[in-house]
Amino acid sequence: MSKTLLMQGNKAVAEGAVAAGADFFGGYPITPSTEIAEELSALLPTIGGTFIQMEDEIAGIGVALGASLAGRKVMTATSGPGFSLKQELIGYAALAEIPIVIVNVQRVGPSTGQPTAPSQGDVMQARWGTHGDHPIIALTPSSVPECFRLTVRAYELSERYRTPVILLMDEIVGHMREKVQLPPYASIPRPERKKPLVPPQEYRAYFGAQDDLVPPMAAFGSGYRWHVTGLVHDEYGFPDSSGKATKELLDRLFAKINDHLDDIVETEEYRLEDAECAFVAYGGTARTAYAAVDMAREEGIKAGLLRPITIWPLAEKQIKDLGGRVNHIIVAEMNRGQYVLEVERAVAGLCPVTLCAKYNNEAIAPAELLAALQKTKRHAGGA
């Protein structure tokens, strides 16, 4: 039986992890993500799972990756400087193809910044924080119910594509309390990673990905033995320094994501049917944009909203399509301008793109977005 609760966003993430079958958390508490660790420290032992608080953020993701290699569904959660510390091992997970869900509840930075103030300043760090060419999947919820749903979704994608997935929260959504209806967890399909169909002596850890480019993954301790390294490797996992191996591995890592964008990329449209101008907003800022659209409509301004739910890979097709449908796009975000650059690139001159940015520890208010929209229309009309 489903149950309806008043719940905080961070706690909805913990519930979503349990619903998806997560049975291991490794991390280090840091605000504004701490409630995720607190909740899982209570929930996981009741279902036979494991919660470990490590000595720092690096160890937190390290122990989670080790558990994933042993077949566990794992999570680590962090914020601000903790996300910076985890970057090297996020790259390791991408190259070694180790599933993991990494939650980052963004706060003002850089460095320790403003520990509990809202920000969306880690958008580019989520994409490019670790070094080298690599694909990444990042999802960004805008409500407490979506915190639950996208956590489950993050596990689906991580296990299906054998890759790290980032749940990119912000403090507004993480600490918000809303009504959420939780389905019976038994009714939620639990993602299972592809397992080898060959006997241990024939197993090659990075071979057999011809269909979806995702190789089967054997759990350590299951009788299969394979080598794991952050170096470019061959099909057995052993280092291979050749140019051929490097190119083939990187090409496959990108292709297994880019060939499945229709499955991975999710967006939402709000009142865009006849819109002449549109906001692009995500996370907590999207909630402001809904209200600004409604306020604009009351003034006779045909406004709408495109909300990226999958923030990486970029919803390039959807954003380009939007650029061909409206006269102007305003990108709203709580930073000095990060995602707006990607929107400009995708729109490619089809219409003007401007930024409504705020980075003073406060959320953008609907009236501020409406004022930005009114200013845009005045300029367009030559007033």
Side-chain angles (χ1 to χ4, degrees), residues 61-73:
I61 187 172
V63 72
L65 290 177
S68 181
L69 286 167
R72 309 288 285 271
K73 289 189 176 69

Side-chain angles (χ1 to χ4, degrees), residues 234-262:
D234 62 17
E235 295 171 344
Y236 294 91
F238 290 107
D240 186 334
S241 60
S242 70
K244 179 176 182 293
T246 304
K247 184 177 186 308
E248 288 182 352
L249 177 55
L250 291 180
D251 284 348
R252 184 177 62 77
L253 291 180
F254 274 91
K256 74 175 181 179
I257 303 300
N258 293 338
D259 288 359
H260 299 94
L261 293 182
D262 288 343

Side-chain angles (χ1 to χ4, degrees), residues 1-305:
M1 179 180 295
S2 63
K3 52 185 178 182
T4 302
L5 300 170
L6 178 65
M7 183 173 287
Q8 185 197 59
N10 281 344
K11 293 189 176 182
V13 169
E15 290 287 344
V18 171
D23 55 1
F24 189 95
F25 179 95
Y28 185 83
I30 178 169
T31 189
S33 74
T34 301
E35 293 86 356
I36 298 171
E38 288 178 345
E39 194 71 6
L40 286 173
S41 72
L43 288 174
L44 286 178
T46 67
I47 59 171
T50 303
F51 174 92
I52 298 180
Q53 178 178 322
M54 299 299 288
E55 68 270 28
D56 59 32
E57 299 285 0
I58 300 172
I61 187 172
V63 72
L65 290 177
S68 181
L69 286 167
R72 309 288 285 271
K73 289 189 176 69
V74 305
M75 171 180 280
T76 189
T78 189
S79 180
F83 193 50
S84 299
L85 290 169
K86 293 182 187 294
Q87 291 301 323
E88 182 177 354
L89 286 178
I90 293 174
Y92 183 85
L95 190 77
E97 299 181 75
I98 306 172
I100 182 172
V101 173
I102 303 145
V103 186
N104 175 24
V105 186
Q106 298 169 88
R107 70 188 204 186
V108 174
S111 190
T112 41
Q114 295 282 4
T116 55
S119 171
Q120 294 175 321
D122 300 348
V123 172
M124 285 299 173
Q125 188 184 28
R127 176 64 191 90
W128 299 110
T130 192
H131 66 278
D133 288 324
H134 65 283
I136 198 72
I137 298 174
L139 312 177
T140 180
S142 292
S143 68
V144 173
E146 206 165 64
C147 288
F148 178 86
R149 183 181 73 82
L150 290 188
T151 302
V152 175
R153 174 74 171 148
Y155 279 99
E156 290 174 359
L157 295 172
S158 181
E159 297 291 331
R160 182 178 305 160
Y161 295 107
R162 197 175 159 178
T163 190
V165 172
I166 296 169
L167 189 65
L168 193 62
M169 308 261 289
D170 55 58
E171 189 275 342
I172 292 174
V173 176
H175 280 166
M176 177 187 301
R177 285 172 171 79
E178 282 185 312
K179 183 175 74 174
V180 56
Q181 188 167 18
L182 302 181
Y185 291 175
S187 70
I188 298 175
R190 295 193 168 184
E192 299 294 336
R193 67 186 62 163
K194 192 193 312 181
K195 293 183 172 57
L197 299 176
V198 298
Q201 63 272 21
E202 297 178 15
Y203 179 58
R204 287 175 280 176
Y206 298 97
F207 177 77
Q210 291 88 347
D211 50 354
D212 57 2
L213 305 177
V214 182
M217 183 174 179
F220 279 24
S222 64
Y224 289 78
R225 301 177 67 181
W226 53 289
H227 191 264
V228 184
T229 176
L231 292 167
V232 171
H233 44 264
D234 62 17
E235 295 171 344
Y236 294 91
F238 290 107
D240 186 334
S241 60
S242 70
K244 179 176 182 293
T246 304
K247 184 177 186 308
E248 288 182 352
L249 177 55
L250 291 180
D251 284 348
R252 184 177 62 77
L253 291 180
F254 274 91
K256 74 175 181 179
I257 303 300
N258 293 338
D259 288 359
H260 299 94
L261 293 182
D262 288 343
D263 176 46
I264 296 169
V265 174
E266 183 179 356
T267 61
E268 180 193 60
E269 294 190 1
Y270 180 68
R271 304 190 77 170
L272 277 176
E273 306 79 34
D274 60 345
E276 297 174 349
C277 49
F279 295 107
V280 172
Y282 53 89
T285 301
R287 303 176 68 90
T288 297
Y290 289 124
V293 167
D294 292 342
M295 293 165 66
R297 290 274 176 173
E298 290 176 1
E299 295 188 5
I301 302 173
K302 293 181 179 179
L305 165 68

Side-chain angles (χ1 to χ4, degrees), residues 274-355:
D274 60 345
E276 297 174 349
C277 49
F279 295 107
V280 172
Y282 53 89
T285 301
R287 303 176 68 90
T288 297
Y290 289 124
V293 167
D294 292 342
M295 293 165 66
R297 290 274 176 173
E298 290 176 1
E299 295 188 5
I301 302 173
K302 293 181 179 179
L305 165 68
L306 177 69
R307 179 168 71 92
I309 297 172
T310 305
I311 200 160
W312 301 117
L314 182 72
E316 193 157 349
K317 181 173 68 176
Q318 293 82 350
I319 293 172
K320 183 176 183 179
D321 174 71
L322 179 68
R325 294 162 57 188
V326 300
N327 298 326
H328 198 109
I329 293 174
I330 298 174
V331 180
E333 48 187 344
M334 290 185 292
N335 55 50
R336 286 180 56 85
Q338 296 190 16
Y339 206 63
V340 65
L341 303 174
E342 290 294 296
V343 174
E344 286 177 344
R345 181 176 65 80
V347 169
L350 290 172
C351 74
V353 177
T354 55
L355 169 67

